[in-house]
């Protein structure tokens, strides 16, 4: 079995240690720290956002506060990836208590394009406004790619997402012309630029009037580009800069995920599972046993949708009817999944009569 590596330091990350210890299965090796590990600033502290402040009381109707409560309390947060209103409705119907707005799924559903940094901030925010409006207390974690620019752009991104009702977002260390984290050929920015992105997001959150609970998630794609040690270091720096959660993209084995969780504790770790991607197909129970706090299934809605729509279109082409693919679901039954009964009940309660017969 290949060795499992961990990275440890004996000082705060903002103070450059003389060396790091790389631990393998059988021995430890002391490695000099590169000169580039410079100190970009003091560690972020915000006592109001300490997890202990979210341990007690009923779950909040504010989605960001609710997400912090879910992170502070026992159990893994399972967030299926949604791509549109239909998939969001289906996820809620299935009983999921948190949703993930996948960047890849959003780009595909809104633009019919691959996940290659084609979608804009407005595309993502428009989708988020719709999804968050369906169930206003359900936390939605949203992909924010690289933040859509420099610090000022990232600040605007955070504020626009928060205004849309999103509970939290993740910002990554890929270059601006990014791609799906499970494709080859990725490039990442420097550690310093990544930390600047995270710091800008944290500062922007703290500028929101009223004391926002908006969750900032730092994501690194450097495990495939550079090394696992570099990925862990970047996430440690992100946490020290104020990231509430750390997201390691493309972790390839259970052992590496375990090492990531232990290295970053007590900061919660998010793992992304995509069938056929770089990460093993963990069940959420397996991920919880390893120690992950959030698990997202980015393409769980849009990939099955492609199979279903392809099959329906093929049947229509071959048979001339959509009878078989409809599986007995008529317009009313379809609209009931989309919230028809709730709309009719609300109209009646308000004194309306337009939908008395429907």
């Amino acid at each position: 079995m290949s060795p499992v590596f961990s990275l440890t330091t004996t000082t705060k990350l903002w103070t450059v240690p003389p060396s790091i210890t790389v631990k393998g299965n059988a021995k430890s090796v002391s490695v000099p720290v590169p000169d580039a590990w410079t100190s970009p600033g003091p560690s972020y502290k915000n006592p109001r956002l300490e997890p202990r402040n979210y341990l007690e009381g009923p779950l909040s109707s504010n989605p960001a506060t609710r997400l912090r409560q879910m992170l502070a309390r026992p159990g893994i947060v399972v967030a299926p990836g949604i791509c549109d209103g239909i998939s969001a409705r289906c996820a809620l119907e299935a009983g999921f208590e948190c949703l993930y707005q996948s960047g890849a799924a959003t780009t595909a559903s809104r633009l019919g394009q691959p996940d290659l940094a084609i979608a804009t901030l407005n595309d993502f925010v428009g989708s988020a406004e719709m999804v968050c409006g369906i169930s206003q207390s359900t936390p939605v974690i949203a992909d924010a790619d690289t933040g859509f620019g420099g610090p000022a752009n990232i600040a605007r991104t955070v504020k626009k997402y928060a205004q849309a009702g999103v509970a939290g977002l993740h910002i990554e260390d890929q270059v601006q012309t990014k791609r799906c984290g499970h494709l080859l050929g990725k490039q990442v920015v420097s550690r310093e630029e990544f930390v600047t992105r995270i710091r800008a997001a944290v500062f922007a959150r703290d500028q929101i009037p009223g004391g926002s609970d908006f969750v900032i998630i730092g994501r690194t794609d450097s495990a495939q580009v550079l090394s696992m040690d570099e990925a862990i270091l970047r996430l440690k720096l992100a946490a020290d800069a104020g990231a509430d959660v750390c997201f390691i993209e493309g972790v390839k084995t259970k052992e590496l995920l375990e090492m990531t969780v232990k290295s970053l504790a007590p900061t919660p770790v998010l793992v992304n599972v995509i069938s056929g991607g770089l990460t093993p197909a963990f069940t959420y129970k397996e991920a919880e046993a390893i120690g992950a706090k959030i698990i997202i299934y980015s393409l769980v809605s849009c990939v099955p949708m492609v199979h279903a729509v392809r099959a329906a279109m093929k049947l229509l082409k071959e048979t001339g009817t959509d009878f078989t693919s409809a599986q007995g679901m008529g317009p009313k039954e379809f609209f009931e999944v989309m919230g028809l009964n709730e709309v009719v009940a609300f109209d009646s309660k308000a004194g309306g009569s337009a939908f008395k017969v429907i």
Side-chain angles (χ1 to χ4, degrees):
M1 186 176 74
S2 59
V4 177
F5 295 105
S6 66
L7 179 151
T8 60
T9 66
T10 56
T11 63
K12 288 178 59 178
L13 282 167
W14 295 130
T15 303
V16 182
S19 65
I20 60 172
T21 301
V22 180
K23 297 180 179 179
N25 288 340
K27 61 182 180 178
S28 298
V29 181
S30 183
V31 181
V33 170
D35 293 337
W37 290 18
T38 55
S39 171
S43 299
Y44 173 86
K45 298 294 181 185
N46 189 335
R48 184 181 66 80
L49 298 179
E50 288 291 329
R52 64 175 178 268
N53 297 330
Y54 298 88
L55 287 170
E56 298 179 356
L59 289 176
S60 174
S61 60
N62 178 287
T65 304
R66 194 183 190 94
L67 179 58
R68 285 192 178 272
Q69 291 172 321
M70 294 166 72
L71 290 173
R73 301 176 188 190
I76 191 169
V77 177
V78 183
I82 50 91
C83 59
D84 59 9
I86 296 175
S87 57
R89 286 282 186 183
C90 290
L92 292 169
E93 181 184 62
F96 287 101
E97 298 179 352
C98 184
L99 303 178
Y100 173 62
Q101 181 179 301
S102 160
T106 300
T107 303
S109 64
R110 289 183 70 87
L111 305 178
Q113 296 289 335
D115 186 14
L116 299 174
I118 296 171
T120 67
L121 170 61
N122 290 340
D123 292 320
F124 280 43
V125 170
S127 181
E129 287 174 338
M130 177 272 298
V131 170
C132 294
I134 293 173
S135 176
Q136 295 180 359
S137 63
T138 300
V140 174
I141 299 170
D143 188 347
D145 283 357
T146 61
F148 304 102
N153 304 81
I154 290 169
R156 180 171 181 263
T157 296
V158 169
K159 292 172 183 177
K160 294 286 283 185
Y161 274 48
Q163 289 169 359
V166 171
L169 58 71
H170 62 77
I171 291 179
E172 66 199 53
D173 60 354
Q174 283 198 52
V175 297
Q176 293 291 351
T177 50
K178 60 147 289 175
R179 64 197 63 196
C180 169
H182 291 253
L183 296 178
L184 301 179
K186 295 187 293 185
Q187 295 178 293
V188 298
V189 298
S190 67
R191 295 188 198 114
E192 292 78 12
E193 184 169 347
F194 176 48
V195 173
T196 295
R197 289 177 180 178
I198 299 302
R199 191 185 299 112
V202 170
F203 288 175
R205 186 267 315 285
D206 290 350
Q207 289 178 352
I208 296 174
S212 174
D213 283 338
F214 193 82
V215 175
I216 304 297
I217 302 170
R219 163 180 154 174
T220 183
D221 287 70
S222 60
Q224 294 77 53
V225 181
L226 300 171
S227 69
M228 276 297 297
D229 285 347
E230 177 69 18
I232 296 298
L233 174 64
R234 287 182 178 223
L235 291 178
K236 283 178 174 283
L237 291 170
D240 215 35
D244 303 293
V245 177
C246 289
F247 175 177
I248 186 162
E249 181 65 295
V251 61
K252 292 184 177 181
T253 68
K254 172 186 175 183
E255 291 77 15
L256 289 175
L257 180 57
E258 287 176 336
M259 181 267 286
T260 302
V261 170
K262 291 176 182 177
S263 297
L264 296 173
T267 305
V269 170
L270 181 154
V271 61
N272 179 24
V273 173
I274 296 179
S275 181
L278 297 172
T279 300
F282 297 118
T283 67
Y284 62 82
K285 290 183 179 179
E286 290 171 336
E288 182 177 18
I290 292 170
K293 188 59 186 179
I294 304 177
I295 187 167
I296 58 176
Y297 295 89
S298 295
L299 301 184
V300 68
S301 60
C302 55
V303 168
M305 189 178 297
V306 167
H307 291 307
V309 174
R310 272 181 167 174
M313 294 299 177
K314 186 173 184 291
L315 274 173
L316 177 59
K317 184 71 173 178
E318 292 174 349
T319 67
T321 176
D322 68 344
F323 180 80
T324 301
S325 59
Q327 300 181 51
M329 178 179 281
K332 187 174 181 181
E333 290 78 13
F334 171 70
F335 295 139
E336 284 174 348
V337 179
M338 298 303 110
L340 173 66
N341 293 336
E342 291 90 336
V343 173
V344 171
F346 184 86
D347 182 80
S348 176
K349 184 177 179 179
S353 59
F355 304 130
K356 184 173 291 187
V357 178
I358 197 164

